[in-house]
Amino acid sequence: MTRIDRQFARLKAEGRKAFVAYIMAGDPHPATSMAVMKGLPAAGVDIIELGMPFTDPMADGPTIQLAGQRALEGGQTLARTLAMAAEFRKVDQITPIVMMGYYNPIYSRGVDRFLQEALAAGVDGLIVVDLPPEEDDELCLPAQAAGLNFIRLATPTTDEKRLPRVLTNTSGFVYYVSITGITGAGAAAAGDVGPEVARIKAATDLPVVVGFGISTPDAAAAIAGVADGCVVGSAIVREIGAGKPVQDVLAFVARLAAGAHSA
């Protein structure tokens, strides 16, 4: 079992839903980003999604695009993002880390080298938004063979014909994107999300976690109530981008986590 598998088993035994938080590595600069990351578990975060900055983040809205630009301008690289994971592991051996982003930086570094470094750094899973199932040989299968979960996205346009292909070779959890479009756009509605989550859960034993369009504790509670957990990204990144002190960012995260855990 991976840390992700163990975390979901623990949450299920406790009757709780998962709260997943996304931050962009290196945003707005390495020291602040590291301080936020280290504080997330105490704020109630069950799984950390660590964004890999990239110059062409096609699935992301302005908030996360700007975070990536800030990180890159501050000198953040894939190597430094891996080093963040390794530094976090010095103080936390339990909370899963999922690296999320695009394939180009991984391809440029070399898949085998990246996977070895990710494992050594204590990374547990990958979400690579621009690698469809048809490209599983590129990264998904090597990652799974190395012991990393490869988490796939399902969307409102993933129909009954496409869903089995999406679920093939997926592990850890399924990330359901609650709205069509980019990150930070629109608002997730539990009434719309619930039937979609049920449809996916009928086809897999994996947990289904919902992201996109969640920005308040009430929204986190509503979405977690119809899924196995929820993800908040843009709302947290927006707080960081506004220059809020680390303790204020973590207090905001704690309110979101409390909402998700109340479901």
Side-chain angles (χ1 to χ4, degrees), residues 21-92:
Y22 171 98
I23 61 169
M24 178 66 74
D27 174 43
H29 44 72
T32 296
S33 186
M34 191 74 251
V36 171
M37 186 179 183
K38 286 183 176 179
L40 291 176
V45 173
D46 300 302
I47 297 172
I48 296 170
E49 284 183 9
L50 187 61
M52 298 179 281
F54 180 49
T55 53
D56 189 23
M58 60 186 182
D60 293 309
T63 298
I64 292 181
Q65 285 188 27
L66 289 170
Q69 289 175 15
R70 290 191 297 266
L72 291 169
E73 288 168 0
Q76 191 72 12
T77 62
L78 184 55
R80 290 183 176 182
T81 301
L82 290 163
M84 277 186 69
E87 179 67 21
F88 178 83
R89 282 284 168 248
K90 293 178 182 179
V91 298
D92 189 312

Side-chain angles (χ1 to χ4, degrees), residues 179-193:
I179 56 176
T180 55
I182 55 176
T183 57
D192 296 330
V193 169

